[in-house]
Amino acid sequence: MNQPGTPGFAERASERRAVSVIIPARNEEHNIARCVRSAAAQNNVEEIIVVDDQSTDGTSEILGGLQKGVPALRVVRVDELPDGWLGKCYALATGAAAASGDWLLFTDADTEHLPGSLATLLARAETEGIDLLSVSPGQVTETWWEKAVIPRVYVELARRFRFEDVNAPASPAAAANGQYMLIRREVYERVGGHEAVRNEILEDVALARRVKLKGGRLLFLPGAPWVRTRMYRTFSEMWEGWTKNLYLLYERNLGKILGALAVAWFLDLAAPFVFIALGIWIVLGHASAFTVGAAAACLLATFTEHWRYGQALRSQGFDPRLAAYLLPGAALFAMLLLNSTGIHGWHGSVRWKGRRYSTTDRI
């Protein structure tokens, strides 16, 4: 039998180009209509399955109204969460069980799919024999704290999960972004689907690792041309979300966490503040070759890091002018990473969307 990633496997799965779009939704009244309509406008969509995960806001009513104008839309209601499952994993597994397409597109309710995006990405997956295609959506940032934190986190993640390494079959690196994951149904079932990662907080990365371990081919791309999202609407949501994820994204590795903190503290924060302190000292009449040289070195380091950050932003599809938020972004990122490490390491559980999940009982 052909394994995922082999030519025979790709040929069989590409005979039909029907896609089932699966959207987990828990209290998504601000996002769900835009997401559903943008998905319905795509070619190759056979059905859109929204799994309403015990929403208590207006999500259910909005979905009821959408069904009148979107014939492809089906709504599945989750009334209770079984033991041993995380909410999103169970919603995704429930949607997949109800789906009929040969391709499954798992996408978050806060995403917007740009015209023609699915046809483009599906064609690429089929042409290149890809089993799991994921993109990192373009990020909409409206408030100062979004502009400071979101780009900074994604630049850090790009260092941790290099697209080239994830896409190389010979590399053990594997990653995906759960905001957009297009996977062959046969591959999904072969690796055990979301049931196999049912209590993983980073279910997207865990599923990608299973696909690659089973011989499947991954393609992970910057996704701004095709999908965009605004992840968090309030500071508290952002704080809770990255507290949940950052420690795990650094693989619980204190060495890697300390390295990231050192960059934030010494390159991004210390250099400009030391320059300001030395400048004041010099203006007060205490100039010397050492203080002038140290001030010049700090100024050079500050400008170099600012330029480097702008280039990194550009490579990830962000506006390089967001480098102006480098200082508050570095400070908030360091605080979030410390908080995530402390919560995971000592508290033993994290909170997300009204539920509390253990961080110690993983598969």
Short mmCIF file of all heavy atoms in Angstrom, two decimals, residues 151-204:
data_model
loop_
_atom_site.label_atom_id
_atom_site.label_comp_id
_atom_site.label_asym_id
_atom_site.label_seq_id
_atom_site.Cartn_x
_atom_site.Cartn_y
_atom_site.Cartn_z
N PRO A 151 3.42 40.88 15.85
CA PRO A 151 4.57 40.71 14.95
C PRO A 151 5.79 40.13 15.66
O PRO A 151 6.50 39.29 15.10
CB PRO A 151 4.84 42.13 14.45
CG PRO A 151 3.54 42.85 14.63
CD PRO A 151 2.95 42.27 15.87
N ARG A 152 6.01 40.56 16.90
CA ARG A 152 7.18 40.07 17.63
C ARG A 152 7.09 38.56 17.84
O ARG A 152 8.07 37.83 17.63
CB ARG A 152 7.31 40.78 18.98
CG ARG A 152 8.46 40.26 19.87
CD ARG A 152 9.79 40.44 19.17
NE ARG A 152 10.90 39.86 19.91
CZ ARG A 152 11.92 40.58 20.39
NH1 ARG A 152 11.93 41.89 20.23
NH2 ARG A 152 12.90 39.99 21.01
N VAL A 153 5.93 38.08 18.24
CA VAL A 153 5.77 36.65 18.47
C VAL A 153 6.01 35.88 17.18
O VAL A 153 6.69 34.84 17.16
CB VAL A 153 4.38 36.34 19.05
CG1 VAL A 153 4.12 34.84 19.04
CG2 VAL A 153 4.26 36.88 20.47
N TYR A 154 5.46 36.36 16.07
CA TYR A 154 5.61 35.61 14.81
C TYR A 154 7.04 35.64 14.29
O TYR A 154 7.49 34.68 13.65
CB TYR A 154 4.61 36.12 13.78
CG TYR A 154 3.28 35.42 13.93
CD1 TYR A 154 2.30 35.93 14.78
CD2 TYR A 154 3.02 34.22 13.29
CE1 TYR A 154 1.10 35.27 14.96
CE2 TYR A 154 1.82 33.55 13.47
CZ TYR A 154 0.86 34.08 14.30
OH TYR A 154 -0.31 33.41 14.49
N VAL A 155 7.76 36.71 14.53
CA VAL A 155 9.18 36.73 14.18
C VAL A 155 9.94 35.69 15.01
O VAL A 155 10.79 34.96 14.50
CB VAL A 155 9.77 38.14 14.38
CG1 VAL A 155 11.29 38.10 14.36
CG2 VAL A 155 9.26 39.08 13.29
N GLU A 156 9.61 35.60 16.29
CA GLU A 156 10.25 34.60 17.15
C GLU A 156 9.90 33.19 16.69
O GLU A 156 10.76 32.30 16.65
CB GLU A 156 9.81 34.80 18.60
CG GLU A 156 10.30 36.08 19.24
CD GLU A 156 11.80 36.11 19.44
OE1 GLU A 156 12.40 35.04 19.64
OE2 GLU A 156 12.37 37.22 19.39
N LEU A 157 8.64 32.97 16.33
CA LEU A 157 8.23 31.63 15.88
C LEU A 157 8.90 31.25 14.57
O LEU A 157 9.19 30.07 14.33
CB LEU A 157 6.71 31.57 15.73
CG LEU A 157 5.90 31.70 17.02
CD1 LEU A 157 4.41 31.56 16.73
CD2 LEU A 157 6.34 30.66 18.05
N ALA A 158 9.15 32.24 13.72
CA ALA A 158 9.83 31.95 12.45
C ALA A 158 11.25 31.46 12.70
O ALA A 158 11.80 30.68 11.90
CB ALA A 158 9.85 33.20 11.58
N ARG A 159 11.86 31.89 13.79
CA ARG A 159 13.18 31.37 14.16
C ARG A 159 13.08 29.95 14.70
O ARG A 159 13.96 29.13 14.48
CB ARG A 159 13.82 32.27 15.22
CG ARG A 159 14.13 33.68 14.77
CD ARG A 159 14.55 34.53 15.96
NE ARG A 159 14.85 35.91 15.57
CZ ARG A 159 14.92 36.92 16.42
NH1 ARG A 159 14.72 36.69 17.72
NH2 ARG A 159 15.18 38.14 16.00
N ARG A 160 11.99 29.68 15.40
CA ARG A 160 11.82 28.37 16.00
C ARG A 160 11.38 27.32 14.97
O ARG A 160 11.80 26.18 15.02
CB ARG A 160 10.75 28.45 17.12
CG ARG A 160 11.12 29.34 18.29
CD ARG A 160 12.05 28.65 19.27
NE ARG A 160 11.50 27.37 19.66
CZ ARG A 160 12.04 26.21 19.34
NH1 ARG A 160 13.13 26.13 18.61
NH2 ARG A 160 11.49 25.09 19.76
N PHE A 161 10.51 27.73 14.05
CA PHE A 161 9.96 26.80 13.05
C PHE A 161 10.23 27.38 11.66
O PHE A 161 9.36 28.02 11.07
CB PHE A 161 8.46 26.60 13.26
CG PHE A 161 8.09 26.08 14.62
CD1 PHE A 161 7.60 26.93 15.60
CD2 PHE A 161 8.21 24.74 14.93
CE1 PHE A 161 7.25 26.46 16.85
CE2 PHE A 161 7.87 24.25 16.19
CZ PHE A 161 7.40 25.12 17.14
N ARG A 162 11.43 27.15 11.14
CA ARG A 162 11.79 27.68 9.83
C ARG A 162 11.02 26.94 8.75
O ARG A 162 10.97 25.71 8.73
CB ARG A 162 13.29 27.56 9.61
CG ARG A 162 14.12 28.36 10.59
CD ARG A 162 15.62 28.18 10.36
NE ARG A 162 16.03 28.72 9.07
CZ ARG A 162 16.45 27.99 8.05
NH1 ARG A 162 16.48 26.66 8.16
NH2 ARG A 162 16.80 28.56 6.92
N PHE A 163 10.39 27.71 7.86
CA PHE A 163 9.61 27.09 6.79
C PHE A 163 10.44 26.09 6.00
O PHE A 163 9.95 25.01 5.64
CB PHE A 163 9.07 28.18 5.85
CG PHE A 163 8.06 29.09 6.47
CD1 PHE A 163 8.32 30.46 6.60
CD2 PHE A 163 6.85 28.61 6.94
CE1 PHE A 163 7.38 31.31 7.17
CE2 PHE A 163 5.91 29.45 7.53
CZ PHE A 163 6.19 30.80 7.64
N GLU A 164 11.70 26.43 5.72
CA GLU A 164 12.55 25.54 4.93
C GLU A 164 12.76 24.20 5.62
O GLU A 164 12.77 23.15 4.96
CB GLU A 164 13.91 26.20 4.67
CG GLU A 164 13.84 27.50 3.88
CD GLU A 164 13.56 28.72 4.74
OE1 GLU A 164 13.27 28.55 5.96
OE2 GLU A 164 13.61 29.83 4.20
N ASP A 165 12.93 24.21 6.93
CA ASP A 165 13.14 22.96 7.66
C ASP A 165 11.86 22.13 7.71
O ASP A 165 11.89 20.91 7.52
CB ASP A 165 13.61 23.27 9.09
CG ASP A 165 14.97 23.93 9.13
OD1 ASP A 165 15.73 23.78 8.14
OD2 ASP A 165 15.28 24.60 10.13
N VAL A 166 10.74 22.79 7.98
CA VAL A 166 9.47 22.05 8.03
C VAL A 166 9.17 21.40 6.69
O VAL A 166 8.70 20.26 6.62
CB VAL A 166 8.33 23.00 8.44
CG1 VAL A 166 6.98 22.31 8.31
CG2 VAL A 166 8.53 23.51 9.87
N ASN A 167 9.46 22.08 5.60
CA ASN A 167 9.12 21.59 4.27
C ASN A 167 10.10 20.57 3.72
O ASN A 167 9.80 19.91 2.72
CB ASN A 167 9.02 22.76 3.29
CG ASN A 167 7.93 23.76 3.68
OD1 ASN A 167 7.01 23.41 4.41
ND2 ASN A 167 8.04 24.98 3.22
N ALA A 168 11.25 20.42 4.36
CA ALA A 168 12.26 19.47 3.88
C ALA A 168 11.92 18.06 4.38
O ALA A 168 11.89 17.83 5.59
CB ALA A 168 13.64 19.87 4.37
N PRO A 169 11.67 17.10 3.48
CA PRO A 169 11.32 15.75 3.92
C PRO A 169 12.38 15.10 4.80
O PRO A 169 12.06 14.29 5.68
CB PRO A 169 11.16 14.98 2.60
CG PRO A 169 10.81 16.04 1.60
CD PRO A 169 11.59 17.25 2.01
N ALA A 170 13.65 15.46 4.59
CA ALA A 170 14.73 14.84 5.36
C ALA A 170 14.88 15.43 6.75
O ALA A 170 15.56 14.86 7.61
CB ALA A 170 16.05 14.96 4.59
N SER A 171 14.26 16.58 6.99
CA SER A 171 14.38 17.24 8.30
C SER A 171 13.31 16.71 9.25
O SER A 171 12.16 16.53 8.85
CB SER A 171 14.24 18.75 8.14
OG SER A 171 14.11 19.38 9.41
N PRO A 172 13.65 16.51 10.52
CA PRO A 172 12.64 16.07 11.49
C PRO A 172 11.69 17.19 11.91
O PRO A 172 10.69 16.93 12.58
CB PRO A 172 13.48 15.59 12.66
CG PRO A 172 14.74 16.39 12.58
CD PRO A 172 15.00 16.58 11.11
N ALA A 173 12.00 18.44 11.54
CA ALA A 173 11.18 19.57 11.95
C ALA A 173 9.78 19.45 11.37
O ALA A 173 9.61 19.13 10.18
CB ALA A 173 11.82 20.88 11.51
N ALA A 174 8.79 19.72 12.19
CA ALA A 174 7.39 19.66 11.73
C ALA A 174 6.61 20.73 12.47
O ALA A 174 6.80 20.95 13.67
CB ALA A 174 6.78 18.29 12.00
N ALA A 175 5.73 21.41 11.74
CA ALA A 175 4.90 22.44 12.35
C ALA A 175 3.73 22.74 11.41
O ALA A 175 3.76 22.40 10.22
CB ALA A 175 5.70 23.72 12.60
N ALA A 176 2.70 23.36 11.96
CA ALA A 176 1.56 23.81 11.20
C ALA A 176 0.87 24.89 12.02
O ALA A 176 1.09 24.99 13.23
CB ALA A 176 0.59 22.67 10.89
N ASN A 177 0.04 25.68 11.36
CA ASN A 177 -0.73 26.71 12.05
C ASN A 177 -2.20 26.32 11.95
O ASN A 177 -2.75 26.23 10.85
CB ASN A 177 -0.49 28.07 11.39
CG ASN A 177 -1.13 29.22 12.15
OD1 ASN A 177 -2.25 29.10 12.63
ND2 ASN A 177 -0.43 30.33 12.26
N GLY A 178 -2.82 26.08 13.10
CA GLY A 178 -4.19 25.61 13.13
C GLY A 178 -5.19 26.59 12.56
O GLY A 178 -6.36 26.22 12.34
N GLN A 179 -4.78 27.82 12.28
CA GLN A 179 -5.69 28.77 11.66
C GLN A 179 -6.00 28.39 10.21
O GLN A 179 -7.02 28.80 9.67
CB GLN A 179 -5.10 30.18 11.72
CG GLN A 179 -4.99 30.71 13.14
CD GLN A 179 -4.16 31.97 13.24
OE1 GLN A 179 -3.24 32.20 12.46
NE2 GLN A 179 -4.47 32.81 14.22
N TYR A 180 -5.10 27.58 9.61
CA TYR A 180 -5.34 27.12 8.23
C TYR A 180 -4.54 25.84 8.01
O TYR A 180 -3.33 25.88 7.86
CB TYR A 180 -4.92 28.18 7.22
CG TYR A 180 -5.40 27.91 5.80
CD1 TYR A 180 -6.46 28.62 5.27
CD2 TYR A 180 -4.79 26.95 5.00
CE1 TYR A 180 -6.91 28.39 3.97
CE2 TYR A 180 -5.23 26.71 3.70
CZ TYR A 180 -6.28 27.44 3.20
OH TYR A 180 -6.73 27.21 1.92
N MET A 181 -5.24 24.71 7.98
CA MET A 181 -4.59 23.42 7.72
C MET A 181 -5.43 22.66 6.70
O MET A 181 -6.57 22.27 6.97
CB MET A 181 -4.44 22.59 8.99
CG MET A 181 -3.53 23.20 10.03
SD MET A 181 -2.90 21.98 11.24
CE MET A 181 -4.40 21.14 11.71
N LEU A 182 -4.86 22.42 5.52
CA LEU A 182 -5.51 21.69 4.44
C LEU A 182 -4.84 20.32 4.36
O LEU A 182 -3.64 20.21 4.07
CB LEU A 182 -5.33 22.45 3.12
CG LEU A 182 -5.96 21.85 1.86
CD1 LEU A 182 -7.48 21.79 1.99
CD2 LEU A 182 -5.54 22.67 0.64
N ILE A 183 -5.61 19.27 4.61
CA ILE A 183 -5.02 17.93 4.73
C ILE A 183 -5.85 16.92 3.95
O ILE A 183 -7.08 17.00 3.89
CB ILE A 183 -4.92 17.51 6.22
CG1 ILE A 183 -4.19 16.17 6.36
CG2 ILE A 183 -6.28 17.49 6.89
CD1 ILE A 183 -3.85 15.81 7.81
N ARG A 184 -5.18 15.98 3.32
CA ARG A 184 -5.86 14.90 2.63
C ARG A 184 -6.61 14.07 3.68
O ARG A 184 -6.04 13.69 4.71
CB ARG A 184 -4.86 14.01 1.89
CG ARG A 184 -4.09 14.73 0.78
CD ARG A 184 -3.12 13.77 0.11
NE ARG A 184 -2.23 14.48 -0.79
CZ ARG A 184 -2.49 14.72 -2.07
NH1 ARG A 184 -3.61 14.28 -2.61
NH2 ARG A 184 -1.62 15.37 -2.82
N ARG A 185 -7.85 13.76 3.39
CA ARG A 185 -8.65 13.01 4.35
C ARG A 185 -8.01 11.66 4.67
O ARG A 185 -7.99 11.22 5.83
CB ARG A 185 -10.06 12.80 3.80
CG ARG A 185 -10.99 12.10 4.79
CD ARG A 185 -12.30 11.71 4.15
NE ARG A 185 -13.20 11.22 5.16
CZ ARG A 185 -14.11 11.96 5.79
NH1 ARG A 185 -14.23 13.24 5.49
NH2 ARG A 185 -14.89 11.44 6.71
N GLU A 186 -7.48 10.99 3.64
CA GLU A 186 -6.87 9.68 3.87
C GLU A 186 -5.69 9.78 4.83
O GLU A 186 -5.49 8.92 5.69
CB GLU A 186 -6.41 9.08 2.54
CG GLU A 186 -5.85 7.67 2.67
CD GLU A 186 -5.50 7.05 1.34
OE1 GLU A 186 -5.79 7.67 0.30
OE2 GLU A 186 -4.93 5.94 1.35
N VAL A 187 -4.91 10.85 4.69
CA VAL A 187 -3.78 11.06 5.59
C VAL A 187 -4.28 11.34 7.00
O VAL A 187 -3.75 10.81 7.99
CB VAL A 187 -2.90 12.23 5.08
CG1 VAL A 187 -1.78 12.51 6.06
CG2 VAL A 187 -2.34 11.92 3.71
N TYR A 188 -5.28 12.20 7.10
CA TYR A 188 -5.85 12.54 8.41
C TYR A 188 -6.29 11.29 9.16
O TYR A 188 -5.99 11.12 10.35
CB TYR A 188 -7.03 13.49 8.20
CG TYR A 188 -7.73 13.91 9.47
CD1 TYR A 188 -7.17 14.87 10.31
CD2 TYR A 188 -8.96 13.36 9.83
CE1 TYR A 188 -7.82 15.28 11.47
CE2 TYR A 188 -9.62 13.75 10.98
CZ TYR A 188 -9.04 14.71 11.80
OH TYR A 188 -9.68 15.09 12.96
N GLU A 189 -7.00 10.42 8.47
CA GLU A 189 -7.46 9.18 9.11
C GLU A 189 -6.31 8.24 9.41
O GLU A 189 -6.30 7.55 10.44
CB GLU A 189 -8.51 8.52 8.22
CG GLU A 189 -9.79 9.33 8.09
CD GLU A 189 -10.78 8.75 7.11
OE1 GLU A 189 -10.41 7.79 6.38
OE2 GLU A 189 -11.93 9.23 7.08
N ARG A 190 -5.33 8.19 8.53
CA ARG A 190 -4.19 7.28 8.72
C ARG A 190 -3.39 7.62 9.98
O ARG A 190 -2.90 6.73 10.67
CB ARG A 190 -3.27 7.34 7.50
CG ARG A 190 -2.14 6.32 7.52
CD ARG A 190 -1.20 6.57 6.35
NE ARG A 190 -1.89 6.44 5.07
CZ ARG A 190 -2.06 5.29 4.41
NH1 ARG A 190 -1.60 4.17 4.93
NH2 ARG A 190 -2.67 5.27 3.25
N VAL A 191 -3.27 8.91 10.28
CA VAL A 191 -2.47 9.31 11.46
C VAL A 191 -3.30 9.39 12.73
O VAL A 191 -2.79 9.76 13.79
CB VAL A 191 -1.74 10.65 11.21
CG1 VAL A 191 -0.86 10.56 9.99
CG2 VAL A 191 -2.73 11.81 11.09
N GLY A 192 -4.58 9.06 12.64
CA GLY A 192 -5.43 9.03 13.83
C GLY A 192 -6.24 10.28 14.06
O GLY A 192 -6.98 10.36 15.06
N GLY A 193 -6.14 11.27 13.16
CA GLY A 193 -6.92 12.48 13.28
C GLY A 193 -6.71 13.21 14.59
O GLY A 193 -5.70 13.04 15.28
N HIS A 194 -7.68 14.02 14.96
CA HIS A 194 -7.55 14.79 16.20
C HIS A 194 -7.73 13.94 17.46
O HIS A 194 -7.36 14.38 18.55
CB HIS A 194 -8.53 15.97 16.19
CG HIS A 194 -8.06 17.11 15.36
ND1 HIS A 194 -8.39 17.25 14.02
CD2 HIS A 194 -7.25 18.15 15.66
CE1 HIS A 194 -7.82 18.34 13.54
NE2 HIS A 194 -7.12 18.90 14.51
N GLU A 195 -8.27 12.75 17.30
CA GLU A 195 -8.35 11.87 18.46
C GLU A 195 -6.96 11.51 18.96
O GLU A 195 -6.73 11.36 20.16
CB GLU A 195 -9.13 10.61 18.13
CG GLU A 195 -9.31 9.69 19.33
CD GLU A 195 -10.19 8.50 19.06
OE1 GLU A 195 -10.63 8.33 17.91
OE2 GLU A 195 -10.45 7.74 20.01
N ALA A 196 -6.01 11.39 18.03
CA ALA A 196 -4.64 11.03 18.41
C ALA A 196 -3.93 12.15 19.15
O ALA A 196 -2.91 11.91 19.81
CB ALA A 196 -3.84 10.63 17.17
N VAL A 197 -4.45 13.39 19.03
CA VAL A 197 -3.82 14.53 19.72
C VAL A 197 -4.86 15.22 20.60
O VAL A 197 -4.80 16.43 20.82
CB VAL A 197 -3.22 15.51 18.69
CG1 VAL A 197 -2.09 14.85 17.92
CG2 VAL A 197 -4.29 16.03 17.71
N ARG A 198 -5.79 14.45 21.12
CA ARG A 198 -7.00 15.00 21.74
C ARG A 198 -6.75 15.87 22.97
O ARG A 198 -7.60 16.69 23.31
CB ARG A 198 -7.95 13.86 22.14
CG ARG A 198 -7.38 12.85 23.11
CD ARG A 198 -8.31 11.65 23.29
NE ARG A 198 -7.75 10.63 24.16
CZ ARG A 198 -6.91 9.69 23.75
NH1 ARG A 198 -6.53 9.64 22.49
NH2 ARG A 198 -6.44 8.79 24.59
N ASN A 199 -5.61 15.72 23.65
CA ASN A 199 -5.36 16.59 24.80
C ASN A 199 -4.09 17.41 24.63
O ASN A 199 -3.46 17.82 25.60
CB ASN A 199 -5.31 15.79 26.11
CG ASN A 199 -4.15 14.82 26.16
OD1 ASN A 199 -3.42 14.65 25.17
ND2 ASN A 199 -3.96 14.17 27.29
N GLU A 200 -3.73 17.67 23.37
CA GLU A 200 -2.58 18.52 23.07
C GLU A 200 -3.03 19.96 22.90
O GLU A 200 -3.89 20.27 22.08
CB GLU A 200 -1.89 18.05 21.79
CG GLU A 200 -1.21 16.71 21.89
CD GLU A 200 0.09 16.77 22.69
OE1 GLU A 200 0.55 17.90 22.98
OE2 GLU A 200 0.64 15.71 23.01
N ILE A 201 -2.45 20.87 23.67
CA ILE A 201 -2.79 22.29 23.55
C ILE A 201 -2.36 22.81 22.18
O ILE A 201 -3.10 23.56 21.53
CB ILE A 201 -2.14 23.09 24.69
CG1 ILE A 201 -2.78 22.69 26.03
CG2 ILE A 201 -2.28 24.59 24.45
CD1 ILE A 201 -2.14 23.31 27.24
N LEU A 202 -1.18 22.40 21.71
CA LEU A 202 -0.72 22.75 20.36
C LEU A 202 -1.08 21.60 19.43
O LEU A 202 -0.21 20.90 18.91
CB LEU A 202 0.78 23.02 20.35
CG LEU A 202 1.27 24.22 21.16
CD1 LEU A 202 2.77 24.37 21.01
CD2 LEU A 202 0.55 25.50 20.75
N GLU A 203 -2.37 21.42 19.20
CA GLU A 203 -2.82 20.28 18.40
C GLU A 203 -2.36 20.37 16.96
O GLU A 203 -2.16 19.35 16.28
CB GLU A 203 -4.34 20.15 18.48
CG GLU A 203 -5.15 20.96 17.49
CD GLU A 203 -5.06 22.46 17.68
OE1 GLU A 203 -4.83 22.92 18.81
OE2 GLU A 203 -5.22 23.18 16.67
N ASP A 204 -2.16 21.59 16.44
CA ASP A 204 -1.73 21.76 15.06
C ASP A 204 -0.31 21.23 14.85
O ASP A 204 -0.04 20.48 13.91
CB ASP A 204 -1.84 23.22 14.63
CG ASP A 204 -1.31 24.20 15.67
OD1 ASP A 204 -0.71 23.77 16.68
OD2 ASP A 204 -1.51 25.42 15.48
#
